[in-house]
Amino acid sequence: DTGVSQDPRHKITKRGQNVTFRCDPISEHNRLYWYRQTLGQGPEFLTYFQNEAQLEKSRLLSDRFSAERPKGSFSTLEIQRTEQGDSAMYLCASTLGGAINEKLFFGSGTQLSVL
Amino acid sequence: AQSVAQPEDQVNVAEGNPLTVKCTYSVSGNPYLFWYVQYPNRGLQFLLKYITGDNLVKGSYGFEAEFNKSQTSFHLKKPSALVSDSALYFCAVIRGSNYQLIWGAGTKLIIKP
């Protein structure tokens, strides 16, 4: 499978714990995005990378959230001191190219439940 | 503020009938508009996009969308619905030059046999 893969598919954690998600984009895709999606809503932008550089972060992304993309390949999203409001589907997407209008390829997401 | 609206939470269509899923947008400058589909337990998949040119855009799985600048709409259409088209459909627009997609809330499409 050469699509975008995310791990784990599901994560259940207790409030206050730290969690880390991984995204492996399609190889050679230089742009990588993280989104958050809650039931009944469209995806909400969190952050994006061009190669290894994190170029933009949403104002919604509190200091408990951090993302990395070392070497411009896979990316990790860490949430520290999780809260119940963090429960959502976390989506990763990647694309190739410098044009603003390139389509995104999405992974199946990581469903986070904070108890 | 730039935004996308999908006025219908759910659309029900009989198999074989034409379908329309509505989307309106508010964006400064020329819009870049997209439709994505989300099947249960699967990631979002690109259907089609409008960048410039012909107002009727053809995409995957027989879908098409019509860009209407005067009505600021980008409705998704298909001449003959299939049960397998049942899914969640999202309209999105690129905001400015920062590569961010602004998404609608989604429309659940149910095709009944």
Side-chain angles (χ1 to χ4, degrees):
Chain A
D1 185 10
T2 58
V4 178
S5 62
Q6 292 187 245
D7 183 69
R9 291 293 303 272
H10 301 90
K11 179 69 177 179
I12 300 174
T13 191
K14 293 182 179 179
R15 188 175 53 186
Q17 298 295 306
N18 298 343
V19 294
T20 300
F21 310 140
R22 177 180 171 121
C23 171
D24 286 273
I26 294 172
S27 60
E28 299 175 358
H29 275 191
N30 57 340
R31 297 214 309 268
L32 185 148
Y33 296 76
W34 285 99
Y35 287 89
R36 178 172 62 190
Q37 185 180 20
T38 54
L39 200 61
Q41 298 297 319
E44 182 180 55
F45 171 79
L46 294 179
T47 188
Y48 100 93
F49 293 83
Q50 177 111 358
N51 299 312
E52 66 275 10
Q54 187 174 19
L55 296 188
E56 187 156 358
K57 290 173 59 174
S58 168
R59 286 171 290 178
L60 300 171
L61 211 63
S62 76
D63 56 6
R64 297 185 297 106
F65 288 72
S66 62
E68 295 181 341
R69 193 183 182 197
K71 303 178 183 178
S73 55
F74 71 93
S75 176
T76 58
L77 177 68
E78 181 183 16
I79 309 174
Q80 296 182 326
R81 305 181 303 281
T82 53
E83 302 173 355
Q84 288 184 328
D86 297 331
S87 296
M89 175 75 81
Y90 289 83
L91 300 171
C92 177
S94 69
T95 191
L96 175 65
I100 195 172
N101 51 40
E102 295 295 334
K103 67 180 182 182
L104 298 180
F105 294 81
F106 281 84
S108 297
T110 294
Q111 181 67 54
L112 173 66
S113 298
V114 181
L115 305 178
Chain B
Q2 305 192 37
S3 63
V4 172
Q6 293 182 245
E8 302 153 318
D9 292 335
Q10 183 169 308
V11 171
N12 298 300
V13 178
E15 186 177 26
N17 283 1
L19 69 87
T20 298
V21 182
K22 296 179 180 178
C23 171
T24 59
Y25 65 91
S26 174
V27 61
S28 57
N30 294 322
Y32 297 130
L33 294 155
F34 297 77
W35 276 101
Y36 283 80
V37 59
Q38 189 171 38
Y39 297 102
N41 300 316
R42 294 178 64 180
L44 285 151
Q45 295 178 34
F46 171 83
L47 276 180
L48 50 80
K49 66 180 178 181
Y50 172 82
I51 305 302
T52 187
D54 195 346
N55 288 344
L56 186 63
V57 179
K58 295 190 182 297
S60 306
Y61 312 122
F63 283 93
E64 57 189 27
E66 186 170 9
F67 172 67
N68 188 316
K69 188 173 183 178
S70 62
Q71 297 185 5
T72 62
S73 67
F74 189 55
H75 300 333
L76 182 69
K77 300 181 180 183
K78 187 172 183 180
S80 179
L82 300 173
V83 172
S84 57
D85 292 330
S86 298
L88 195 54
Y89 289 81
F90 290 94
C91 182
V93 63
I94 282 186
R95 182 177 77 184
S97 61
N98 59 8
Y99 298 79
Q100 282 190 42
L101 276 170
I102 305 301
W103 298 78
T107 298
K108 186 175 183 180
L109 178 63
I110 297 177
I111 308 300
K112 298 182 179 179

